[in-house]
Amino acid sequence: MLEQEIFRVNDPGWIRDLARAHPWATLISHTPDRGLVVSHLPVLVDASRQDPTLLSHLARTDAEKHELGSHEVVVVLQGPHGYISPSWYEETPHVPTWNFMVLHIHGRPEVLDPADTYDVLSSTVDHFEDRFPEPWRLALVETYAQRIAAGVTGFRLPATRVTAKAKLSQDEREEVVLRLARALESGRPYAGPELARAMRDIRRKP
């Protein structure tokens, strides 16, 4: 990923917040026999650690294809993103662009034992169910859940390298950014209120 200083993010809180808010991730491995192996999976931020260590799980057959634990992998998480039309600037010259927030976490996975894998599954359910007034819990179907958990591999991914990028028009004047944000909030094609909020918020950070 091209790393430009103006778009680089080093704030650990920002990194953890993005991972928590956008937990649907892409796991990429390079294996000797299969070459690149790609899976999609939900991730959690390990609350017991200060760095952006991730917890996740995938089907055991997929874990075997990734040769999980035998080499480094990268997990890609994507925040708000969207198309920016030149017409929104209301000045020239400009060309189309794409604003986005993205996070790459590199590391060597630590494969978890069955008990810790089940804990990850339970924590994942809790994380997503906690928004409901009456959250559903894995314990409600524990016998069934324990049986299917046997086909799942949990892992922890300590971060050895983190690359975070927020390309949110920081290279434009403030009045231009606000104009773009209003366009994203207007309901017109390619509207993206969440992206607009991110563009406003990044301007307020020191």
Side-chain angles (χ1 to χ4, degrees):
M1 180 167 64
L2 178 63
E3 294 188 69
Q4 299 140 291
E5 190 59 36
I6 191 172
F7 302 134
R8 187 194 308 271
V9 180
N10 297 313
D11 178 9
W14 185 97
I15 290 168
R16 292 170 70 88
D17 287 347
L18 185 142
R20 288 192 186 102
H22 300 275
W24 186 241
T26 302
L27 169 67
I28 305 167
S29 302
H30 187 271
T31 65
D33 296 333
R34 294 184 176 86
L36 289 173
V37 179
V38 181
S39 292
H40 304 277
L41 67 177
V43 298
L44 301 178
V45 177
D46 189 342
S48 69
R49 303 198 179 191
Q50 294 301 311
D51 65 346
T53 294
L54 300 179
L55 295 167
S56 192
H57 67 279
L58 68 171
R60 180 168 293 178
T61 53
D62 286 338
E64 292 170 354
K65 290 178 182 178
H66 280 274
E67 299 176 7
L68 206 67
S70 64
H71 51 72
E72 187 176 79
V73 304
V74 59
V75 169
V76 179
L77 297 107
Q78 184 172 272
H81 64 93
Y83 177 76
I84 304 296
S85 170
S87 64
W88 296 350
Y89 292 89
E90 299 177 10
E91 59 183 40
T92 57
H94 280 95
V95 294
T97 191
W98 204 277
N99 279 2
F100 61 89
M101 299 162 66
V102 70
L103 176 61
H104 295 179
I105 297 182
H106 299 251
R108 185 167 181 159
E110 300 171 355
V111 176
L112 302 177
D113 63 25
D116 287 338
T117 292
Y118 191 83
D119 287 344
V120 169
L121 294 174
S122 185
S123 295
T124 302
V125 171
D126 291 349
H127 176 76
F128 292 105
E129 284 287 326
D130 279 346
R131 294 189 183 186
F132 292 104
E134 298 181 12
W136 186 90
R137 300 304 184 200
L138 201 59
L140 294 171
V141 292
E142 185 166 5
T143 301
Y144 172 71
Q146 290 281 4
R147 188 167 70 250
I148 63 172
V152 174
T153 298
F155 67 92
R156 176 181 291 106
L157 183 65
T160 57
R161 180 159 64 96
V162 177
T163 305
K165 185 172 182 178
K167 179 184 172 293
L168 300 171
S169 300
Q170 295 96 313
D171 52 346
E172 298 288 350
R173 303 187 318 277
E174 183 170 5
E175 60 266 31
V176 173
V177 175
L178 295 177
R179 198 177 300 146
L180 297 176
R182 287 193 294 270
L184 287 165
E185 295 165 336
S186 67
R188 67 183 70 182
Y190 304 107
E194 189 178 10
L195 179 59
R197 286 195 297 273
M199 290 168 61
R200 295 178 192 275
D201 290 345
I202 202 77
R203 309 287 294 194
R204 302 188 187 107
K205 292 186 182 296

